[in-house]
Amino acid sequence: MPVISSPYAFNEDDLYVDLRPVLDSPLYLKCEGFNFAGSIKLKAAAAMVESAERKGVLNSRSALVESSSGNLGVALSVIAASKGYRFLCVTDSRCNLATRLMMEALGSEVHVINNAKPYDSFLAARIAYVEALCASDSRWVWLSQYTNPANWHAHYRSTAPAIAREFPELDVLFVGAGTTGTLMGCARWFRHWRRPVRVVAVDSVGSVSFGGPPGRRMIPGLGMGVRPPLLDTSYVDEVVHVEEADTVRTCRELAHHGFLFGGSTGTVVSGATSWLARHGGPAVTSVAIAPDLGERYLDTVYHDNWVRALYGESAIGEPSAGHSAEHSAEPAAAPAADPMPEPSAAPSAEPAPEPSPDPRPSST
């Protein structure tokens, strides 16, 4: 029986769902949402905090700040609450309300960017805000999930070896592409150990990560508005792009069978089943990584009015495995919102609260 004293010390790493009875596809889904942060991001968050502490960048006077569309923000909120750090998450208007409330319940502060202008994307606007804040006071520590090698190291050390142990004859691995930490960690591990595994990246239509044109993306998690600095395409064998409407359909079909997964998982499963419909067969052993669970998407992906307004009535119906594509949608304007505060108006940092007298070392 596991007994823990810190919330980041537990992560279920060996749970898989056989999707053959559900989607009639030869796919095993590695479930990464069964921890106290509810997503795979707990691994990267713990690794980045541990690295910063080990290097002396993060100390008792520090305050954490990070740009996140949601899941990493929750993971850092869990760790910050446990260790006594102050944490500010800079997100944007696409972040689910449940996610923002969860971070605040854990004692974190949340700053929402409502308008990307004058920047090219919400991500660029969030990063500009974080950079201005860090320039205003040296006590702010930005872990920078987009450039931090500890992000992919976490999956090199844990996620990929766990998959290899359970599936020694693995043929294809499907990994969602956001910051590409999970993708790069897994792809590097299988390449390093010379495993003949085909690594297929799954991205959202409208993401520019793999060179496609930018487009509207309303489901947080996967996809990027700029090319991910961690991405090395030489480790990726193929890329599948998924329309958000197909993400919604797949999430809802899984829910109809009792599996309530998040938007990122819906995207990965949609892309994987599409690829397998074209290239797979009963003899193919394939695994897809499910980054998150679905409770935080109840007011978006699982809300009929939200889905109708963005994707039309057809997105509420039954999904089909052939709609994922390898192209990007036409760009669409972001919804109108309040102007983003100028970076110079970033709030001055207050002294970070003193951590507990004997902070526990972080764990990956």
Side-chain angles (χ1 to χ4, degrees), residues 238-309:
E238 194 169 342
V239 181
V240 175
H241 285 89
V242 176
E243 298 276 1
E244 286 193 333
D246 291 307
T247 293
V248 172
R249 294 187 188 101
T250 302
C251 284
R252 285 168 166 248
E253 179 161 340
L254 290 169
H256 291 159
H257 289 83
F259 295 107
L260 193 72
F261 284 107
S264 297
T265 298
T267 300
V268 174
V269 173
S270 179
T273 54
S274 172
W275 189 95
L276 290 167
R278 298 191 303 271
H279 307 293
V284 173
T285 300
S286 59
V287 169
I289 298 176
D292 55 0
L293 301 178
E295 293 92 337
R296 298 171 202 172
Y297 297 83
L298 295 178
D299 60 347
T300 54
V301 170
Y302 296 104
H303 194 289
D304 286 354
N305 290 342
W306 187 89
V307 173
R308 282 194 193 95

Side-chain angles (χ1 to χ4, degrees), residues 40-343:
I40 197 171
K41 288 292 189 178
L42 185 62
K43 292 179 176 179
M48 291 189 295
V49 169
E50 181 184 54
S51 175
E53 289 175 332
R54 188 169 56 248
K55 294 174 181 177
V57 174
L58 188 59
N59 56 53
S60 62
R61 296 186 66 249
S62 303
L64 286 167
V65 60
E66 185 58 79
S67 161
S68 170
S69 62
N71 282 339
L72 184 76
V74 173
L76 286 172
S77 295
V78 168
I79 294 171
S82 177
K83 289 176 168 285
Y85 292 122
R86 178 185 177 188
F87 172 53
L88 169 66
C89 179
V90 180
T91 188
D92 61 61
S93 54
R94 297 169 300 178
C95 180
N96 298 322
L97 175 61
T99 299
R100 299 203 300 265
L101 293 176
M102 187 176 297
M103 288 188 278
E104 291 171 350
L106 289 162
S108 298
E109 301 162 66
V110 181
H111 179 79
V112 181
I113 302 292
N114 288 308
N115 194 327
K117 293 178 181 179
Y119 303 96
D120 293 334
S121 66
F122 275 113
L123 176 58
R126 291 184 346 223
I127 290 175
Y129 188 92
V130 171
E131 288 175 338
L133 191 66
C134 291
S136 73
D137 194 310
S138 62
R139 287 170 293 189
W140 287 106
V141 174
W142 180 26
L143 297 174
S144 185
Q145 61 167 324
Y146 313 106
T147 61
N148 195 326
N151 184 345
W152 69 262
H153 288 168
H155 303 287
Y156 185 95
R157 291 195 302 264
S158 61
T159 310
I163 294 170
R165 284 194 305 270
E166 296 296 328
F167 296 91
E169 303 300 323
L170 181 66
D171 296 308
V172 189
L173 177 65
F174 298 94
V175 189
T179 64
T180 68
T182 307
L183 175 64
M184 287 293 95
C186 291
R188 287 174 186 273
W189 190 92
F190 282 106
R191 180 75 60 86
H192 177 82
W193 292 102
R194 301 184 184 279
R195 299 291 185 93
V197 175
R198 188 167 189 81
V199 176
V200 179
V202 183
D203 198 9
S204 299
V205 167
S207 166
V208 305
S209 297
F210 294 92
R216 183 189 72 172
R217 290 180 296 112
M218 300 303 296
I219 300 174
L222 301 184
M224 291 273 281
V226 298
R227 181 180 171 84
L230 295 177
L231 176 62
D232 183 343
T233 56
S234 68
Y235 288 93
V236 180
D237 296 300
E238 194 169 342
V239 181
V240 175
H241 285 89
V242 176
E243 298 276 1
E244 286 193 333
D246 291 307
T247 293
V248 172
R249 294 187 188 101
T250 302
C251 284
R252 285 168 166 248
E253 179 161 340
L254 290 169
H256 291 159
H257 289 83
F259 295 107
L260 193 72
F261 284 107
S264 297
T265 298
T267 300
V268 174
V269 173
S270 179
T273 54
S274 172
W275 189 95
L276 290 167
R278 298 191 303 271
H279 307 293
V284 173
T285 300
S286 59
V287 169
I289 298 176
D292 55 0
L293 301 178
E295 293 92 337
R296 298 171 202 172
Y297 297 83
L298 295 178
D299 60 347
T300 54
V301 170
Y302 296 104
H303 194 289
D304 286 354
N305 290 342
W306 187 89
V307 173
R308 282 194 193 95
L310 290 171
Y311 310 111
E313 190 71 32
S314 63
I316 296 176
E318 292 298 316
S320 58
H323 287 275
S324 299
E326 297 186 20
H327 64 276
S328 294
E330 290 297 319
D338 296 333
M340 184 193 77
E342 291 299 318

